[in-house]
Amino acid sequence: MLNNIDACIFDMDGTIVDSMWVWGQVDIDYLSKHGHEVPKDMGKEIEGLSMREVAFYFKNRFNIDDDIDTIINDWNDMALFKYKNSIKLKPNVKEFLIHLKNKGIKTGLFTSNSLVLAKAALKANGILEYFDAITAGCSDIKGKPEPDGYIITANKLNVKCENCLVFEDLIKGIMAGKNANMKTCAVRDDYSMYQDEEKRKLADYYIEDYYEIFKN
């Protein structure tokens, strides 16, 4: 899997950390504060979008008076404690990152989440230092399945897209990696089990545990 690979670029939520559970409650609490319930169709509509794009979606759909930065800051405040204290790594993530460093393979992160929450989770789990570049969805960047975030991260790493391997837990993320002309590896996650069969077909590789890659 790592042959001819100069960089591995990871999604974060659901891919290297078990964190998707946080956002269901954040959505409930945030919308309740503004007098709304969570629509049944919202999850599919915002999947893959960057945090900034989701903020625009919330502002327009629910007529939120706050500006985009205020919305993002509110979400950061609501989720920060959990990202610092409750979010844990998927099995063997740190060991795999060490393996990549030992092989001289660069590592990047492209998350739809905010930079604040990304750094909080990575630092709390002792892996922030293993990433050579981070691109976050709080900036003005197109969300997945657009390839922009992965291309930007490859440029930060100074590697060619065709020599990158993307790790993703959702269909739109895998599509983003493919649209960037990168190899893709789907990662099993309980939150996206409803996509599991499609993920296996779409991605170049599929893993349930990062140990599968370096055990031999």
Side-chain angles (χ1 to χ4, degrees):
M1 187 188 298
L2 298 177
N3 289 340
N4 300 314
I5 295 300
D6 295 328
C8 289
I9 307 178
F10 300 82
D11 170 57
M12 186 177 73
D13 296 280
T15 298
I16 60 173
V17 295
D18 284 314
S19 55
M20 299 299 287
W21 56 272
V22 172
W23 292 99
Q25 191 60 51
V26 169
D27 289 342
I28 291 170
D29 293 344
Y30 182 82
L31 288 178
S32 176
K33 185 175 71 171
H34 290 275
H36 300 280
E37 293 183 352
V38 178
K40 292 182 178 179
D41 65 339
M42 192 179 80
K44 289 186 177 180
E45 291 198 355
I46 66 175
E47 184 178 293
L49 297 182
S50 69
M51 180 176 274
R52 184 163 290 273
E53 288 176 331
V54 176
F56 275 104
Y57 173 93
F58 269 62
K59 182 174 179 63
N60 293 329
R61 178 163 185 177
F62 302 109
N63 297 312
I64 306 296
D65 292 331
D66 295 333
D67 61 33
I68 298 304
D69 288 333
T70 299
I71 295 172
I72 291 174
N73 288 337
D74 285 348
W75 289 340
N76 283 337
D77 290 342
M78 296 172 75
L80 185 58
F81 181 84
K82 288 185 172 63
Y83 271 76
K84 283 184 174 179
N85 298 280
S86 303
I87 300 301
K88 302 303 179 186
L89 295 177
K90 285 179 168 287
N92 293 300
V93 167
K94 186 171 184 177
E95 290 80 358
F96 181 54
L97 291 171
I98 293 171
H99 177 72
L100 294 175
K101 290 296 184 185
N102 290 338
K103 289 180 67 67
I105 296 175
K106 296 179 179 180
T107 52
L109 185 83
F110 169 43
T111 175
S112 298
N113 210 328
S114 72
L115 186 60
V116 169
L117 297 180
K119 285 190 172 181
L122 300 181
K123 185 176 181 180
N125 284 284
I127 60 170
L128 179 59
E129 65 190 87
Y130 292 100
F131 288 93
D132 301 306
I134 297 175
T135 305
C138 52
S139 57
D140 189 14
I141 188 171
K142 291 182 180 179
K144 304 163 186 179
E146 298 300 324
D148 301 44
Y150 280 118
I151 294 173
I152 289 169
T153 308
N155 289 338
K156 290 179 180 179
L157 295 169
N158 195 29
V159 295
K160 295 179 179 179
C161 289
E162 57 264 34
N163 297 124
C164 293
L165 175 61
V166 164
F167 290 84
E168 273 279 0
D169 66 307
L170 294 174
I171 291 296
K172 288 189 176 179
I174 296 168
M175 291 172 62
K178 285 189 165 293
N179 290 336
N181 196 31
M182 299 177 179
K183 293 289 186 182
T184 57
C185 179
V187 179
R188 185 192 186 278
D189 187 62
D190 289 342
Y191 180 86
S192 59
M193 284 305 292
Y194 68 98
Q195 295 185 350
D196 205 59
E197 184 176 350
E198 188 178 355
K199 284 163 57 174
R200 289 175 182 267
K201 292 178 180 178
L202 182 62
D204 297 290
Y205 310 101
Y206 179 96
I207 60 167
E208 295 194 7
D209 187 314
Y210 287 91
Y211 182 66
E212 297 170 33
I213 306 174
F214 64 91
K215 63 183 178 182
N216 294 320

